[in-house]
Amino acid sequence: MHLLVTGGAGFIGSTFVRALLTGAYPAFAGAAVTVLDKLTYAGNPANLAAVADRPGFRLVSGDIADAALVRELLTPGSLVVNFAAETHVDRSIADAASFVHTNVTGTHVLLDAALEQGAGRFLQVSTDEVYGSIDSGSWTESSPLLPNSPYAASKTSADLLALSYFRTHGLDVTITRCSNNYGPHQHPEKLIPRFTVRLLAGRSVPLYGDGRHIRDWLHVDDHCRGIQLALERGESGAVYHIGGGTELSNRLLTRELLATCGADWSSVRHVADRKGHHRRYSLDDSKLRALGYRPRVEFAEGLRATVGWYRAHPDWWAPRAAYETPYAPAGGGHPASVHPPK
Ligand code: NAD
Ligand code: DAU
């Protein structure tokens, strides 16, 4: 069995690959794994160091939009797990071009190559942001797609393309849509690692708007377990939600992080809101639960362990935290994106 894992040097993809190659998913024991990753500012080969010597593993540096390269990496029957994406909403507000390139064109190129090479299942890793924002209740897999940010619109486009390859060409496509992830190895542009590393360094944290926006948090290990289950047992042409079950406003989450890092509310800076900021996300994940999915990591324990990981690994995050993504400054508006070197 061969898996092509795109974006496998990023936060979630590398967690999936480490788990797979250390035997966490018996259905994929002994599989050969090719990671294809462009190694953008978000990709880091060090995330894969723990499994770099495993038999059957290789890391290829390249773009999922490079048709010749992806055709070469796929063999008949290869399974594709497409994690590769530009993922940060704030960056998509500052400049959406790379989001269209990777998330839309890149996914299209991969789908074409999978079809041409006779690949097996194509699992598209997607997000709850495709539905927009929901004030109460939860989305089901058939809720209308109403993305707002350029990031969400590009992920929605990729989902629609993937489903069109199932409906038109019969490609074996399955999509997972997940809520907000947290855990080790997440780039410090995202809320939990950004606040953690800033607080550990004695710095202030920027809370957007009124801080009452709600997110549903899931440990990255649980997300990856959901992906492997959908890859193994999901229906062809189906979408599966992977939910967190821990809904928190950003204010409440900030309070938890302040307590865990030994800081108080004087470290919080209220800054102008993100443009088009989604108020709340909530997924009904009963469809995947019917296949046996259950999140295992309790939030308080997962958060404590995650902060502990960042505390123990300044060498991992310091070079990344030095290059801030834009946040909404007091007075409004988003400054231009700051792209760190690779
Ligand atoms: P990440 O930003 O940490 O990693 C993305 C990876 O993709 C990086 O290694 C990067 O180098 C690589 N990449 C970017 N452009 C590429 C290209 N053109 N070709 C090849 N590789 C490329 O992202 P993440 O948080 O690990 O997210 C992984 C996937 O999960 C994404 O598709 C994202 O939309 C989805 N998702 C993320 C979350 C979350 O909370 N982080 C939640 C739901 C879904
Ligand atoms: O819901 C899934 C999505 O979760 C994924 O598809 C995205 O790839 C991932 O980045 C994440 O998107 P969010 O926009 O929800 O994540 P982010 O960490 O950027 O922000 C979480 C919340 O915290 C959001 O309401 C904005 C707020 N925030 C964020 C940052 C970075 C702040 O208040 N201050 C900040 O500095």
Side-chain angles (χ1 to χ4, degrees):
M1 188 189 296
H2 172 242
L3 276 86
L4 177 64
V5 181
T6 65
F11 165 48
I12 305 170
S14 68
T15 305
F16 179 82
V17 170
R18 290 193 307 274
L20 191 150
L21 289 175
T22 52
Y25 309 143
F28 299 102
V33 175
T34 304
V35 168
L36 171 62
D37 199 297
K38 194 175 176 182
L39 301 178
T40 68
Y41 77 94
N44 184 353
N47 292 344
L48 294 165
V51 292
D53 295 335
R54 298 274 162 161
F57 172 80
R58 70 174 164 150
L59 168 61
V60 177
S61 169
D63 191 334
I64 58 165
D66 179 341
L69 175 62
V70 295
R71 268 200 302 268
E72 188 188 312
L73 298 178
L74 283 168
T75 50
S78 293
L79 308 181
V80 181
V81 187
N82 183 25
F83 290 96
E86 288 291 336
T87 61
H88 196 209
V89 173
D90 289 329
R91 289 183 190 272
S92 80
I93 294 168
D95 181 359
S98 60
F99 288 75
V100 175
H101 172 80
T102 292
N103 302 2
V104 186
T105 305
T107 302
H108 168 238
V109 168
L110 262 186
L111 287 163
D112 262 350
L115 195 61
E116 277 174 41
Q117 299 299 89
R121 171 149 293 180
F122 187 114
L123 191 135
Q124 172 68 9
V125 179
S126 186
T127 168
D128 55 7
E129 301 210 12
V130 299
Y131 300 111
S133 190
I134 189 166
D135 289 337
S136 60
S138 302
W139 292 297
T140 67
E141 284 83 354
S142 52
S143 294
L145 301 175
L146 295 167
N148 289 315
S149 70
Y151 162 69
S154 67
K155 292 294 290 184
T156 309
S157 308
D159 283 15
L160 292 175
L161 275 170
L163 287 174
S164 81
Y165 272 64
F166 165 72
R167 292 183 187 131
T168 305
H169 300 294
L171 187 69
D172 180 3
V173 167
T174 300
I175 296 178
T176 56
R177 294 186 181 138
C178 189
S179 60
N180 281 67
N181 283 216
Y182 72 98
H185 301 274
Q186 187 172 29
H187 194 284
E189 65 187 358
K190 309 283 167 49
L191 176 69
I192 288 181
R194 174 182 272 182
F195 281 24
T196 300
V197 304
R198 291 183 71 96
L199 292 170
L200 292 179
R203 300 173 71 196
S204 64
V205 295
L207 187 61
Y208 295 171
D210 64 7
R212 297 190 191 281
H213 305 82
I214 292 171
R215 295 293 183 267
D216 181 17
W217 294 96
L218 181 69
H219 194 276
V220 64
D221 289 347
D222 283 326
H223 183 186
C224 290
R225 274 190 274 274
I227 289 170
Q228 95 77 30
L229 186 62
L231 185 64
E232 183 192 343
R233 306 213 350 238
E235 255 179 60
S236 198
V239 176
Y240 292 91
H241 287 170
I242 307 177
T246 304
E247 277 195 33
L248 283 175
S249 71
N250 293 338
R251 287 178 69 84
L252 279 177
L253 176 57
T254 300
R255 201 181 66 185
E256 295 301 311
L257 285 167
L258 290 170
T260 312
C261 297
D264 61 33
W265 205 259
S266 64
S267 297
V268 178
R269 244 171 338 120
H270 288 275
V271 299
D273 211 350
R274 173 186 278 176
K275 287 183 186 173
H277 198 169
H278 288 153
R279 204 70 191 167
R280 175 174 175 266
Y281 303 142
S282 180
L283 293 173
D284 174 343
D285 63 2
S286 45
K287 191 168 161 185
L288 192 64
R289 284 179 186 254
L291 292 185
Y293 168 74
R294 299 282 179 281
R296 292 186 196 161
V297 183
E298 193 264 323
F299 182 74
E301 174 51 26
L303 189 68
R304 197 196 53 72
T306 299
V307 170
W309 186 87
Y310 282 94
R311 205 188 282 279
H313 294 88
D315 51 322
W316 187 92
W317 56 259
R320 288 166 185 80
Y323 299 96
E324 288 269 332
T325 41
Y327 56 83
H334 273 260
S337 179
V338 178
H339 286 284
K342 288 174 191 170

